[in-house]
Amino acid sequence: MSVINNLKYIFFCLLTLNHAYAASPNQASMLANTCAACHGTNGSSQGPATPSIAGISHDYFIDAMTAFKEDDRPATVMNRIAKGYTEDQIKLMASFFSNQKMNPTSQNFNSAMVKAGKDLHDTHCEKCHAKGGTVSEDDSGILSGQKTPYLRYTITDILNEDRQVSRKMFKRLRNIHQQTGQKGIEQLLHYYASQK
Amino acid sequence: MTKQSRRLFLKLSLATASSSLLYAPFIHASTSKHVVIVGGGIGGSTAAKYLRLMDSNIKVTLIEPKKHYTTCFMSNEFLGGERDFKTLEFAYSGLQKHGVSIIHDRVISIDTIKQTVKLSSNKSLNYDRCIVSPGIDFKWDVIEGYDETIAQSIPHAYQAGQQTLTLKKQLESMRNGGTVVIAPPANPFRCPPAPYERASQIAHYLKTHKPKSKIIILDDKEKFSKQKLFEAGWKRHYGYGTDNSMIDWVSVSNGGHIESLDAKNRTISAQAQDFKADVINIIPPQKAGKLAFATGLTDNSGWCPVDHKTFESTLHKNIHVIGDSTIASPLPKSGYAANSEAKVCAAAIVSLFNDRDVLQPSLINTCYSLIAPDDAISVAMVYGYDQGKIIKIKGAGGLTPMDAADHMRKREADYAHSWFNNMTHDIFS
Ligand SMILES: Cc1cc2nc3c(=O)[nH]c(=O)nc-3n(C[C@H](O)[C@H](O)[C@H](O)COP(=O)(O)OP(=O)(O)OC[C@H]3O[C@@H](n4cnc5c(N)ncnc54)[C@H](O)[C@@H]3O)c2cc1C
């Protein structure tokens, strides 16, 4: 985002402040509430598979929706849904969901797998997915407490080069996979499933 | 601006936006408003919860005769033998936690002038606004030899509960080599893909337990929802199109229209020929729920015309109609649509009570259909509002691609189950 774009966006926020935002419910919740049937009330998913989007990074949300919209990311329904929204609407939804708190539901995990997964995470992932993947700063996805099948699909897509991520992330994942095989990936998933 | 300072700047502006704006309370008039909701199904229960979430000063009373709601969605999976019936049942205690008053009773009438709702216990309630979501009723008089009493033994299973259990029991006691007839109605009706998902799920059950059996769909239509995807799925799993197909589909032009039923001999007369069946599932044509007729909320079509921005009836002021009873086309009559409509309606009521402009509606519908345990398809659409009408957003939505890979169809099945969990949690918890 350039400085101009930034200012434009903040101006946009101030503008909506006097209109749609001036009351609760507002245009952002109007858009976001329709996501609940699949992603859970306010974006916290009950699972088993659909990811939580509560607490998501504002910029990551916009990137994801834009990628879906342009068919740049493997999808089942999200590419069809994302095409229904303008850039401004996507920004409103990003502001809504990034301001929610994720309430993870409990998932199954095995403690030995969790331990090995934590080591892998600390070595390979922690630098960007900080604090055990609990935070959405640096525009990265929240991994901790995220739904296991969703993370498994995502990693599969990245390893198969069906989904574009940064060169750095691709290399790291490929290294884990080359060194530890699918077992290492599963250990990572157990670790994230164990986190709340 | 550096990346860091930009983040901080953005964060600060969003933080002020969120704390002062997203959660800004209303300044209220001294008396709180009362909304009475008729029907604790998908539309009514969603509206009750979201009204309370959006404005906790509003008093919300929900009237529903049943102590448990049984979802229609995933009831086909129960028929297929892959789901426990108990998982379809939901109590109302979750809504009570949001401060919704629940009265387990039936609404007998609504006085639209005095703005009162009368219950079968003779109790009467005043409302400032009323939301009606009574679901569907059936047109009983269109098939000779078939009526509401006979429907107890020839189940429609189109309002889930005892009806679903009866159909399941009949499938279980059927002989191997038996015939199941499913007879879907003409449009419009509740959940257009559901009869074909049902055929798929029953085929799955029969393939596993009674592989010599057969399903005949006698249709009152020329084509049906997600048809190409269903037919390709049936081909893949159930031999569709071959001599050994478990499913045959008879369109209306091929004589699928049903003329009469001989319930005693389990014989159904379609235009093409008579069919002797072991299990018959007639899904009768439909209209808005009874109370909508009793209140004068319906037009000649048998459904309820509403303002698409607020879902307020165009026939009676201060009454909103949502869910299957309403005319919200191009939205289909689905649970997802009812859930979306309820939120738009709740937001509109909150705005109207507070003399604010009603927001621009935005809605989604996504309907999954399970063809086999790890194989699901979907149809999705995003809806907006233009010139007084709900519209489909151009370029959005559509079907699962015909060439979707197996692993993507498996993902759709996982997402279908997630949809069920999130949807029911969004409504009842
Ligand atoms: C087999 C099948 C599968 C389906 N699958 C899906 C799916 O996968 N996805 C999807 O989105 N949709 C699905 N649907 C559709 C979905 O179930 C309906 O669209 C949805 O239930 C409509 O909600 P509603 O509020 O209009 O009606 P309902 O959910 O039927 O609720 C109406 C409620 O009103 C109550 N009521 C009626 N009259 C009165 C009165 N006088 N006083 C008090 N209470 C009253 C009733 O007891 C009932 O609880 C399916 C439907 C069927 C039949």
Side-chain angles (χ1 to χ4, degrees):
Chain A
M1 241 198 254
S2 69
V3 175
I4 301 277
N5 270 337
N6 248 319
L7 290 176
K8 263 199 215 157
Y9 179 61
I10 286 159
F11 181 67
F12 170 77
C13 285
L14 292 174
L15 211 106
T16 47
L17 197 144
N18 289 322
H19 297 277
Y21 267 89
S24 162
N26 52 56
Q27 206 63 48
S29 63
M30 169 65 79
L31 292 160
N33 284 341
T34 61
C35 309
C38 291
H39 290 281
T41 307
N42 294 335
S44 276
S45 174
Q46 303 299 310
T50 313
S52 287
I53 51 175
I56 193 169
S57 141
H58 179 270
D59 290 7
Y60 174 67
F61 181 92
I62 293 173
D63 287 351
M65 287 293 275
T66 310
F68 282 132
K69 212 172 153 167
E70 290 166 4
D71 287 315
D72 271 349
R73 186 178 153 163
T76 51
V77 296
M78 274 315 297
N79 53 345
R80 298 177 248 158
I81 304 272
K83 290 187 182 83
Y85 300 101
T86 63
E87 249 175 77
D88 286 346
Q89 288 175 322
I90 289 173
K91 281 179 190 162
L92 282 173
M93 289 190 265
S95 72
F96 181 93
F97 286 114
S98 61
N99 277 292
Q100 305 297 322
K101 204 180 146 321
M102 197 218 278
N103 295 316
T105 52
S106 59
Q107 300 187 85
N108 293 334
F109 57 84
N110 156 303
S111 351
M113 297 280 278
V114 170
K115 201 166 163 293
K118 181 177 183 337
D119 290 346
L120 285 171
H121 172 87
D122 288 347
T123 315
H124 299 278
C125 318
E126 174 69 18
K127 223 168 147 191
C128 296
H129 295 281
K131 298 188 188 161
T134 54
V135 288
S136 64
E137 282 154 20
D138 289 322
D139 308 338
S140 56
I142 297 180
L143 303 177
S144 149
Q146 188 53 283
K147 297 289 167 273
T148 301
Y150 166 74
L151 290 179
R152 188 181 291 118
Y153 301 154
T154 305
I155 293 174
T156 307
D157 290 345
I158 294 171
L159 288 172
N160 290 337
E161 298 186 58
D162 289 335
R163 175 165 166 194
Q164 300 302 314
V165 292
S166 70
R167 201 66 216 139
K168 192 170 77 181
M169 179 166 175
F170 174 68
K171 275 185 165 165
R172 297 229 163 209
L173 266 176
R174 198 183 47 189
N175 282 347
I176 299 177
H177 194 247
Q178 276 170 356
Q179 286 164 22
T180 62
Q182 188 58 31
K183 179 143 190 230
I185 304 292
E186 291 302 318
Q187 288 166 339
L188 270 178
L189 297 181
H190 276 255
Y191 171 57
Y192 299 132
S194 74
Q195 301 286 97
K196 280 230 161 175
Chain B
M1 245 190 274
T2 64
K3 212 177 170 197
Q4 281 302 324
S5 66
R6 172 186 71 103
R7 286 247 166 74
L8 191 65
F9 192 18
L10 251 179
K11 248 182 216 153
L12 284 175
S13 60
L14 281 173
T16 37
S18 66
S19 56
S20 65
L21 306 169
L22 291 177
Y23 308 111
F26 288 113
I27 316 284
H28 275 275
S30 52
T31 54
S32 75
K33 301 284 190 184
H34 187 207
V35 177
V36 173
I37 301 179
V38 186
I42 303 311
S45 299
T46 308
K49 171 171 163 179
Y50 272 79
L51 271 172
R52 294 285 305 159
L53 286 181
M54 288 169 178
D55 186 350
S56 58
N57 284 300
I58 296 176
K59 213 179 133 214
V60 178
T61 308
L62 178 70
I63 324 280
E64 163 64 48
K66 296 191 296 280
K67 292 270 161 71
H68 285 91
Y69 181 79
T70 309
T71 63
C72 288
F73 22 91
M74 293 296 166
S75 66
N76 288 329
E77 197 179 32
F78 163 71
L79 295 175
E82 300 290 336
R83 180 176 281 275
D84 196 19
F85 188 76
K86 277 256 163 281
T87 65
L88 304 175
E89 292 184 318
F90 296 86
Y92 290 93
S93 47
L95 289 177
Q96 271 165 336
K97 283 190 201 126
H98 289 286
V100 177
S101 307
I102 316 269
I103 300 178
H104 288 296
D105 201 346
R106 179 168 288 282
V107 173
I108 299 302
S109 61
I110 302 177
D111 186 327
T112 57
I113 309 292
K114 289 194 193 133
Q115 299 194 189
T116 55
V117 163
K118 198 170 158 202
L119 311 185
S120 71
S121 63
N122 244 338
K123 198 177 157 159
S124 176
L125 300 165
N126 296 320
Y127 63 82
D128 293 293
R129 285 185 181 268
C130 178
I131 301 176
V132 176
S133 190
I136 51 165
D137 190 15
F138 299 105
K139 296 179 180 171
W140 293 114
D141 47 1
V142 293
I143 299 164
E144 200 192 312
Y146 174 74
D147 60 26
E148 195 167 0
T149 313
I150 287 171
Q152 286 168 15
S153 56
I154 307 279
H156 50 73
Y158 236 61
Q159 286 163 326
Q162 189 50 52
Q163 280 280 319
T164 320
L165 290 168
T166 303
L167 180 55
K168 175 82 171 138
K169 214 166 165 189
Q170 292 183 0
L171 290 168
E172 279 171 353
S173 49
M174 187 179 92
R175 68 196 161 94
N176 185 5
T179 301
V180 180
V181 165
I182 301 174
N187 294 319
F189 66 105
R190 158 176 280 187
C191 199
Y196 313 96
E197 180 188 54
R198 176 170 291 172
S200 316
Q201 286 296 319
I202 293 179
H204 168 67
Y205 167 76
L206 296 176
K207 189 178 167 180
T208 323
H209 296 97
K210 298 161 192 191
K212 288 189 205 142
S213 312
K214 220 173 154 58
I215 299 164
I216 300 166
I217 305 172
L218 297 175
D219 215 328
D220 221 354
K221 294 185 287 304
E222 217 28 50
K223 52 185 189 198
F224 59 88
S225 170
K226 307 180 196 168
Q227 181 163 356
K228 283 203 176 111
L229 284 162
F230 271 116
E231 289 182 324
W234 294 343
K235 220 180 220 166
R236 181 167 160 197
H237 299 284
Y238 311 117
Y240 188 67
T242 67
D243 287 346
N244 284 325
S245 178
M246 296 198 74
I247 303 176
D248 278 345
W249 176 66
V250 185
S251 70
V252 69
S253 64
N254 283 326
H257 176 77
I258 292 174
E259 285 167 342
S260 65
L261 169 79
D262 177 350
K264 221 167 107 208
N265 294 309
R266 302 228 162 220
T267 302
I268 191 160
S269 297
Q271 230 150 29
Q273 63 178 92
D274 291 357
F275 292 90
K276 181 133 178 63
D278 296 83
V279 176
I280 300 176
N281 171 219
I282 293 175
I283 303 168
Q286 296 153 28
K287 55 186 177 181
K290 279 195 186 70
L291 187 75
F293 282 89
T295 314
L297 294 166
T298 50
D299 68 12
N300 288 336
S301 70
W303 306 97
C304 305
V306 294
D307 176 313
H308 278 188
K309 201 168 190 183
T310 58
F311 287 90
E312 183 167 353
S313 166
T314 54
L315 302 174
H316 289 292
K317 275 183 80 68
N318 299 321
I319 300 191
H320 302 248
V321 187
I322 56 174
D324 289 347
S325 277
T326 200
I327 303 173
S329 163
L331 277 165
K333 298 189 184 302
S334 79
Y336 201 134
N339 176 268
S340 280
E341 291 163 11
K343 292 167 185 175
V344 171
C345 175
I349 287 178
V350 171
S351 298
L352 290 167
F353 279 161
N354 290 281
D355 291 325
R356 306 223 179 234
D357 288 344
V358 173
L359 296 164
Q360 195 68 10
S362 174
L363 309 98
I364 294 183
N365 177 63
T366 300
C367 268
Y368 288 102
S369 302
L370 291 159
I371 296 182
D374 280 335
D375 188 10
I377 55 174
S378 60
V379 60
M381 182 50 71
V382 180
Y383 301 85
Y385 177 86
D386 190 37
Q387 299 182 14
K389 256 194 76 63
I390 288 169
I391 52 150
K392 293 182 180 179
I393 302 293
K394 276 212 181 79
L399 298 159
T400 300
M402 284 298 287
D403 59 356
D406 289 2
H407 73 276
M408 294 306 265
R409 300 265 293 233
K410 156 91 168 78
R411 285 184 196 184
E412 292 223 51
D414 289 348
Y415 289 141
H417 292 131
S418 304
W419 171 83
F420 176 79
N421 291 345
N422 279 314
M423 173 83 171
T424 52
H425 189 265
D426 189 48
I427 300 166
F428 295 110
S429 293

